[in-house]
């Protein structure tokens, strides 16, 4: 969050006046945010067997697999921020950005309604969240790569 808030104004300014410079800063943000996201994801996923009982109590040990699934959302979310907030929005893709989020919300509800009656557990819900976040990341990446190609960077 703080990293995005710190870099977004600069990227937006560069997108208006120095498009290749904006893309260079986006690449740096991708590395920084992706690195932090990967580190946090690995810590939460690998540490789940110790973190869950420590924070939630031993009676919640069944939540370990749910936390392991949800840990991946940190990395996916960090990269989605780079492609969405830091690439699509500064380059005028607000409408596409909004459409993706609306579709993702509908997809999330539809999948939960379809899958939870069949597999009623927290892991299924976590898997749906990861799947929908993956969809958002893929959709943002798809459009962001066009921006990168058009600017020639």
């Amino acid at each position: 969050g703080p990293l995005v808030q710190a870099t977004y104004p600069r990227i937006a300014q560069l997108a208006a006046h120095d498009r290749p410079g904006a893309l260079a800063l986006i690449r740096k943000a991708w590395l920084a945010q992706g690195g932090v996201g990967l580190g946090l994801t690995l810590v939460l996923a690998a540490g789940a067997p110790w973190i869950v009982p420590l924070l939630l109590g031993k009676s919640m040990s069944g939540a370990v697999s749910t936390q392991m699934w949800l840990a991946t959302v940190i990395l996916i979310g960090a990269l989605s921020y780079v492609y969405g907030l830091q690439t699509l929005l500064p380059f005028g893709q607000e409408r596409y950005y909004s459409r993706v989020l609306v579709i993702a919300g509908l997809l999330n509800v539809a999948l939960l309604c379809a899958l939870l009656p069949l597999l009623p557990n927290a892991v299924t819900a976590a898997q749906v969240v990861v799947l929908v976040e993956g969809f958002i990341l893929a959709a943002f990446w798809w459009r962001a790569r066009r921006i990168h190609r058009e600017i020639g960077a």
Side-chain angles (χ1 to χ4, degrees):
L3 190 57
V4 171
Q5 291 173 354
T7 56
Y8 177 78
R10 181 70 178 141
I11 291 170
Q13 180 187 29
L14 287 171
H17 303 291
D18 178 12
R19 294 165 77 87
L23 293 182
L25 185 54
I26 289 167
R27 278 190 208 94
K28 289 177 186 174
W30 188 90
L31 289 171
Q33 290 171 223
V36 170
L38 178 61
L40 289 172
T41 293
L42 292 175
V43 166
L44 285 176
W50 298 280
I51 294 170
V52 169
L54 179 68
L55 296 178
L56 303 177
K58 291 183 181 183
S59 65
M60 293 299 292
S61 294
V64 168
S65 57
T66 303
Q67 179 180 322
M68 292 173 81
W69 274 98
L70 289 176
T72 61
V73 173
I74 295 171
L75 175 59
I76 295 169
L79 297 177
S80 292
Y81 268 51
V82 174
Y83 292 127
L85 288 172
Q86 294 179 321
T87 305
L88 297 181
L89 294 182
F91 287 95
Q93 299 292 316
E94 296 89 356
R95 191 170 182 186
Y96 179 83
Y97 179 87
S98 296
R99 283 183 183 166
V100 168
L101 294 182
V102 168
I103 292 168
L106 295 172
L107 180 62
N108 191 42
V109 170
L111 287 172
L112 286 173
C113 287
L115 294 176
L116 284 180
L118 302 173
L119 303 164
N121 60 59
V123 173
T124 301
Q127 290 169 336
V128 168
V129 169
V130 171
L131 181 67
V132 172
E133 289 292 330
F135 163 77
I136 293 168
L137 175 59
F140 287 171
W141 169 80
W142 181 260
R143 183 59 63 101
R145 73 182 180 87
R146 279 183 38 194
I147 292 168
H148 285 266
R149 286 182 183 163
E150 288 171 5
I151 295 172

